[in-house]
Amino acid sequence: MSISVALCTYNGARYLREQLDSIAGQTLLPDELVACDDCSSDNTIRILEEFRDQVSFPVHIHLNETNLGSTKNFEKSISLCQSEIVALCDQD
């Protein structure tokens, strides 16, 4: 059984690193993490890119062209996941 994490971000740099460390520290790692960013203006993208380079599972980063809002951003992230199970994850 495969597991995806659907992560939505928006100006989450303050808490994001701790959340990502929590995901990477799980006993059972996900098969992928799909992050959809909703037009952040802080260091959120850089943090996601650094995380992607540090972990053993695929991290797919998608940047929205316009702000979708929380619900639509989660819909997008979920739709991009490839696994049988999808775990929803907020940036904090």
Side-chain angles (χ1 to χ4, degrees):
M1 188 174 332
S2 58
I3 300 171
S4 295
V5 173
L7 171 66
C8 290
T9 59
Y10 175 70
N11 290 334
R14 182 173 178 186
Y15 303 104
L16 182 57
R17 198 173 313 273
E18 185 176 351
Q19 181 70 322
L20 294 171
D21 288 345
S22 175
I23 294 167
Q26 297 299 306
T27 304
L28 179 61
L29 294 176
D31 294 285
E32 68 172 351
L33 183 144
V34 176
C36 285
D37 184 75
D38 211 15
C39 302
S40 290
S41 59
D42 63 1
N43 291 325
T44 296
I45 302 306
R46 184 178 56 80
I47 293 168
L48 288 168
E49 291 171 341
E50 289 172 358
F51 180 75
R52 178 186 59 203
D53 296 339
Q54 296 170 351
V55 295
S56 60
F57 52 88
V59 175
H60 310 287
I61 302 169
H62 300 272
L63 309 176
N64 296 339
E65 292 181 18
T66 60
N67 188 281
L68 300 178
S70 178
T71 302
K72 292 289 185 190
N73 198 25
F74 265 111
E75 287 177 8
K76 179 178 178 181
S77 184
I78 292 165
S79 75
L80 295 168
C81 290
Q82 300 295 312
S83 297
E84 299 164 302
I85 295 175
V86 176
L88 303 184
C89 182
D90 206 345
Q91 63 196 10
D92 58 0

